[in-house]
Amino acid sequence: RTTEPVPPPVEAAAAHRPQMVDATAAGQAYTALATVEELLKDWHEGGPGVLRAGGLSVRDLKRTAVALDVPEPVAAFWVELAYAAGLLASDGEADERYAA
């Protein structure tokens, strides 16, 4: 192989109107809010238990994925996002459970 002194030019795969980009972004933001809202409603009363290590059990993750109608890795993303945003936390009881 020979090395090239200059990288090849980068070209746009497609051009989109700014209005279309804004509409798509707004739709995705709405979907994100609706998904997190559904998660919080599902866990509002009697959310899943907190494991000793502080995590969520596989069974509860599967149940949440079914409730949100998404694959398990996507459900894990939404749970972690809500937790990082401070929307979910341990309820602090002796038998700890996640609560909105």
Side-chain angles (χ1 to χ4, degrees), residues 4-5 10-11 13 20 27 29 32 35 37 41 50 53 56 72 84 94 99:
E4 298 292 329
V10 177
E11 298 177 13
M20 179 61 79
T35 304
E37 180 182 18
K41 283 181 181 177
V50 178
L56 181 66
E72 290 174 32

Side-chain angles (χ1 to χ4, degrees), residues 22-84:
D22 290 343
T24 302
Q28 290 300 314
Y30 176 78
T31 301
L33 291 175
T35 304
V36 171
E37 180 182 18
E38 188 175 343
L39 171 68
L40 296 176
K41 283 181 181 177
D42 189 41
W43 287 14
H44 179 66
E45 293 180 15
V50 178
L51 297 177
R52 288 183 187 165
L56 181 66
S57 72
V58 174
R59 184 181 317 135
D60 290 326
L61 179 61
K62 286 181 181 184
R63 202 173 294 139
T64 300
V66 169
L68 296 177
D69 194 25
V70 295
E72 290 174 32
V74 176
F77 168 78
W78 291 119
V79 169
E80 290 178 12
L81 182 75
Y83 184 81

